[in-house]
C-alpha cells in the first residue's frame, strides 16, 4: 500500500538517521510488502546513551506512548536526532485519529498554515482532529495563496500577522497542512516566530511526504534565487495520511513518484526493482492491489 512506498522512500532519503517500525498487528504481511533492505533498522547518527535507548526501543518495536487499539498507523519511522528526535506516522486515514495529532501539540493554541487548494479539502478535518474531546485547545488558521511564486517574504508575513494578531505565545504549535511549499513556509515561520515554536508537519503531496517533510529543511525564495532563506528546524512529528493522495492531481502524483524513483536508483536497488514491478499500480493509485501484489 501507499504507506510502504512512502516509508521506504523516507528511509532512502536519510538512511543514516532514521529507522522504520513496521506494523505490530500483522508483521508477516508487512514484511512481505516491502523490499528487505528497506526494513533494516538504521544506526543513529551519533552514539549517546539516550539515543542508544531509543534505538533499542525501536528495534524491539515497543508500543508508542498510548497505542490506539485499532490504529490505522501502518508504519512509524523514527528520525534519530538526539533531543530533536521525532516520529513519522504513516497510514491511510490517520487524520481520523485525533489522539495521534493531539499528543504532539504543545500548549493550548494552534495555528494551521495551509493554502487555498488544500484548505477546502482538509482544514476542517485537521481542526476536528486537533479539538476532538479537547475543548481547551483553540485553533486559528491562515490560508495562503497557492503556488511556488508565493513562497516568499510577503506571504510569510501573513503567517506572522496572523500569529501576532491572535496573540500566540511561545507555547503554541504551528501545523503545516499542504505540500512542500506550505511545509517550507510554515517550518521557517515556526523556526523564527518568537525565536522558535512547536511545529507539526501534515504533508499532503507525495513529494512532501517522501522528501520535503523529512530532514528539517525549511525555507523560502528570494527574487535572486530559490530557497535562499531558510533554517534547519525539526518538527515534533510528521503525520502522513496516505488518503490525502487520492485528491492529488495526476501531475503532482507523478512529480512525487519521480522523486521516489530517484531515491531507489541512487540508494536502494531492491526498492527500485520493487517500484518497477508496481509502477502501474502506484500511478493508478491502486493501493489495494499494490498491497497484495508486491513481491521482490
Ligand atoms: N525542504 C525540503 O527539504 C524540500 C525538499 C524538496 C522540495 N522542497 C520544496 O517543496 C516545494 C514543492 O513541493 P510540492 O511538490 O509538494 O508542491 P506544492 O506544495 O506546490 O503542491 C503542489 C500542488 O498540489 C496541491 N496540493 C497539495 N496537496 C494536495 C492534495 N492532497 N490534494 C490536492 N491538491 C493538493 C497544492 O496546493 C499545489 O497546488 C518546492 O518549493 C520545493 O523547493 C523542499
Amino acid at each position: 500500500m501507499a504507506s510502504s512506498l512512502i516509508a521506504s522512500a523516507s528511509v532512502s532519503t536519510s538512511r543514516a538517521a532514521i529507522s522504520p517500525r513496521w506494523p505490530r498487528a500483522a508483521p508477516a504481511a508487512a514484511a512481505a510488502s516491502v523490499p528487505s533492505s528497506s526494513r533494516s533498522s538504521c544506526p543513529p547518527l551519533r552514539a549517546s546513551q539516550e539515543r542508544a535507548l531509543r534505538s533499542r526501543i525501536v528495534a524491539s518495536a515497543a508500543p508508542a506512548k498510548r497505542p490506539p487499539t485499532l490504529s490505522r498507523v501502518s508504519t512509524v519511522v523514527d528520525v534519530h536526532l538526539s533531543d530533536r528526535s521525532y516520529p513519522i506516522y504513516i497510514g491511510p486515514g490517520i487524520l481520523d485519529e485525533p489522539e495521534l495529532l493531539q499528543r504532539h501539540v504543545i500548549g493550548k493554541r494552534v495555528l494551521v498554515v495551509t493554502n487555498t487548494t488544500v484548505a477546502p479539502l482538509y482544514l476542517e478535518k485537521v481542526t476536528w482532529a486537533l479539538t476532538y474531546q479537547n475543548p481547551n485547545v483553540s485553533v486559528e488558521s491562515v490560508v495562503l495563496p497557492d503556488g511556488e511564486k508565493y513562497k516568499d517574504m510577503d506571504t510569510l508575513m501573513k503567517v506572522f500577522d496572523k500569529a501576532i494578531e491572535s496573540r500566540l505565545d511561545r507555547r503554541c504549535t504551528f501545523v503545516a497542512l499542504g505540500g512542500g511549499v506550505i511545509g517550507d513556509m510554515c517550518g521557517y515561520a515556526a523556526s523564527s516566530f518568537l525565536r522558535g515554536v512547536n511545529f507539526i508537519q501534515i504533508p499532503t503531496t507525495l513529494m512532501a511526504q517522501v522528501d520535503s517533510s523529512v530532514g528539517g529543511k525549511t525555507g523560502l525564495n528570494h527574487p535572486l534565487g530559490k530557497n535562499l532563506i531558510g533554517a534547519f528546524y525539526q518538527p515534533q512529528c510528521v503525520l502522513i495520511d496516505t488518503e490525502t493522495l487520492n485528491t492529488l492531481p495526476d501531475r503532482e502524483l507523478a512529480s512525487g513518484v519521480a522523486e521516489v524513483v530517484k531515491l531507489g536508483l541512487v540508494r536502494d536497488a531492491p526498492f527500485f526493482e520493487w517500484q518497477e514491478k508496481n509502477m502501474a499500480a502506484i500511478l493508478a493509485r491502486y493501493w489495494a492491489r499494490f498491497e497484495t501484489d508486491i513481491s521482490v
Side-chain angles (χ1 to χ4, degrees), residues 1 20 26 44 65 148 152 198 216 229 244 252:
M1 65 185 157
K65 263 188 211 160
E148 177 73 27
D152 62 5
N198 192 41
I229 302 156
T244 58
E252 300 301 338

Side-chain angles (χ1 to χ4, degrees), residues 11-12 20 31 81 91 107 119 143 166 174 208 260 285:
V11 172
S12 295
L81 291 168
V143 180
S166 305
F174 281 19
V260 176
R285 304 168 210 231

Side-chain angles (χ1 to χ4, degrees), residues 246-266:
N246 293 335
T247 56
L248 201 59
D250 287 347
R251 188 184 163 86
E252 300 301 338
L253 182 73
S255 154
V257 168
E259 192 58 37
V260 176
V261 169
K262 197 173 81 187
L263 292 169
L265 265 175
V266 173

Side-chain angles (χ1 to χ4, degrees), residues 273-285:
E273 285 166 21
W274 177 87
Q275 290 170 39
E276 281 187 306
K277 288 180 190 160
N278 292 281
M279 192 48 72
I282 293 169
L283 290 173
R285 304 168 210 231

Side-chain angles (χ1 to χ4, degrees), residues 21-118:
R21 276 185 264 158
W22 300 99
R24 289 178 288 280
S33 70
V34 290
S36 56
S37 70
S38 297
R39 288 199 302 273
S40 58
S41 191
C42 308
L45 278 177
R46 278 170 284 149
S48 74
Q49 274 191 323
E50 182 189 296
R51 204 170 313 129
L53 176 64
R54 191 173 174 88
S55 297
R56 277 203 300 278
I57 290 170
V58 170
S60 66
K65 263 188 211 160
R66 280 179 288 153
T69 16
L70 289 172
S71 177
R72 297 180 187 198
V73 177
S74 47
T75 307
V76 182
V77 177
D78 276 314
V79 180
H80 303 283
L81 291 168
S82 189
D83 60 339
R84 298 295 298 177
S85 297
Y86 62 92
I88 303 174
Y89 302 110
I90 308 170
I94 62 176
L95 281 176
D96 294 326
E97 291 183 16
E99 191 271 345
L100 206 54
L101 189 53
Q102 289 178 14
R103 76 169 80 153
H104 295 284
V105 168
I106 293 179
K108 295 176 178 169
R109 311 286 309 277
V110 178
L111 178 64
V112 180
V113 179
T114 185
N115 73 18
T116 47
T117 303
V118 178

Side-chain angles (χ1 to χ4, degrees), residues 115 117-118 121-122 146-148 151 178-182 184 204-205 207-208 211-212 214 217-218 226-227 244-245 247-249 252 255:
N115 73 18
T117 303
V118 178
L121 296 169
Y122 302 111
D146 185 4
E148 177 73 27
K151 204 172 90 167
V181 168
I182 287 294
D184 276 6
T204 60
T205 63
M207 165 70 89
D211 190 351
S212 59
V214 183
K217 278 193 285 176
T218 73
K226 198 168 145 49
N227 293 327
T244 58
L245 297 178
T247 56
L248 201 59
E252 300 301 338
S255 154

